[in-house]
Amino acid sequence: MASVTTETKGATRLIRYANPPRHYMTAEGAGLMLAAVQAASADPGIRAIVLTGTDDVFVRHYDVSEIVAVGEAVRAGQLKPEDFERGGFADMIRAVFDSPKPVIAAINGVCMGGGFELALACDLRIVANRVPLIGLPETRVGIFPGGGGTQRLPRMIGEARALEFILRGQTVDAEGALALGIVNAVAADAVTEALAIAAELSERGAEGLAHAKRLVRGALTWGLEVGTREEQHGFHAVLKADSAMAAMKDFLATGEDITR
């Protein structure tokens, strides 16, 4: 049975997914993750979120038996294309991607299929140096990544490399993931490193980070004119935030150079 546990460390919410022995993602597990992510996103005391797994597995992949059951429902005419736009897994991925707070994937172990799509929806990805398998192997079983993988991976590593990775169902280890550009860093302990980054981000103005996240994401789909206009509007909005004004005034009071 899937379970999700949460732990608050300062201003960071650590969310752990478990579903022994295989640690597959399931509809039940996605619902639990959705609730945990939504709660962390809505908590004013939480400034960053870290997602991880257990037993040397981040998320092995989505439970194929559940996908087969969905396939039978599709073939019976019980599910329509629009039904795939909502539901436990789709809503959970969207909640991670749309959270106004920085979300970091601490990839502590095997991270495949739907598990890697969850990591792709995060803002940063830190992987433990011992992790042997990261990838999108769905084409090996006749399907393709359906949780955002075909859209987010090309934006991250380019069309040519993403096509090869997805069409061939490739996997890489931790160092291979770093070389490919699908993780930000390799660490001896992914959770410890992710928590350190989260603590660093927690000291930054929440409004500034939220605007920066939204604008960088929008840059991938907006035109330059729209994007720069949105940036200007966002900059105007963040200047209304007490945290932004306080941080700048504190900086001026130190007399330091921001480049140091």
Side-chain angles (χ1 to χ4, degrees):
M1 178 180 294
S3 67
V4 170
T5 57
T6 63
E7 185 177 355
T8 300
K9 293 179 173 290
T12 300
R13 180 68 49 80
L14 176 62
I15 302 174
R16 291 184 183 273
Y17 182 80
N19 187 15
R22 297 287 188 176
H23 296 284
Y24 295 146
M25 179 60 69
T26 62
E28 175 193 38
L32 294 172
M33 285 290 288
L34 171 62
V37 170
Q38 287 177 328
S41 295
D43 188 335
I46 297 301
R47 303 288 296 279
I49 302 168
V50 173
L51 307 183
T52 193
T54 53
D55 300 337
D56 293 327
V57 181
F58 181 74
V59 174
R60 190 171 298 277
H61 54 72
Y62 202 97
D63 189 337
V64 176
S65 68
E66 287 197 3
I67 300 176
V68 169
V70 170
E72 296 294 348
V74 169
R75 291 164 64 87
Q78 298 168 351
L79 290 174
K80 296 180 172 57
E82 54 267 28
D83 293 324
F84 284 82
E85 297 177 7
R86 56 184 181 273
F89 187 68
D91 286 345
M92 184 267 288
I93 293 291
R94 192 173 296 113
V96 170
F97 189 74
D98 290 342
S99 175
K101 300 173 182 182
V103 184
I104 305 172
I107 303 174
N108 62 300
V110 176
C111 178
M112 302 268 280
F116 184 43
E117 289 179 301
L118 171 58
L120 286 174
C122 296
D123 303 306
L124 300 173
R125 284 156 296 282
I126 310 301
V127 60
N129 55 17
R130 65 184 181 280
V131 173
L133 292 170
I134 300 173
L136 295 171
E138 285 89 341
T139 59
R140 299 183 192 179
V141 294
I143 54 175
F144 65 88
T150 67
Q151 301 305 297
R152 293 194 174 98
L153 190 63
R155 287 172 163 83
M156 191 174 297
I157 64 173
E159 178 185 329
R161 287 193 293 177
L163 267 173
E164 180 181 18
F165 198 76
I166 291 172
L167 293 180
R168 297 180 65 188
Q170 291 180 334
T171 62
V172 291
D173 62 9
E175 292 295 339
L178 183 65
L180 193 58
I182 56 180
V183 299
N184 299 91
V186 176
D189 188 315
V191 174
T192 297
E193 181 66 16
L195 288 172
I197 295 172
E200 173 193 322
L201 294 176
S202 295
E203 296 177 356
R204 310 286 167 85
E207 295 85 355
L209 291 179
H211 280 290
K213 177 174 175 174
R214 179 182 66 85
L215 291 162
V216 171
R217 291 277 173 74
L220 299 176
T221 55
W222 297 331
L224 183 60
E225 182 178 353
V226 172
T228 52
R229 186 181 302 115
E230 287 289 329
E231 184 182 71
Q232 290 159 4
H233 290 171
F235 200 79
H236 178 269
V238 81
L239 290 178
K240 297 178 181 179
D242 291 341
S243 63
M245 295 302 290
M248 288 188 290
K249 289 178 179 178
D250 286 347
F251 168 73
L252 289 173
T254 66
E256 293 182 356
D257 185 336
I258 197 170
T259 60
R260 292 180 181 173

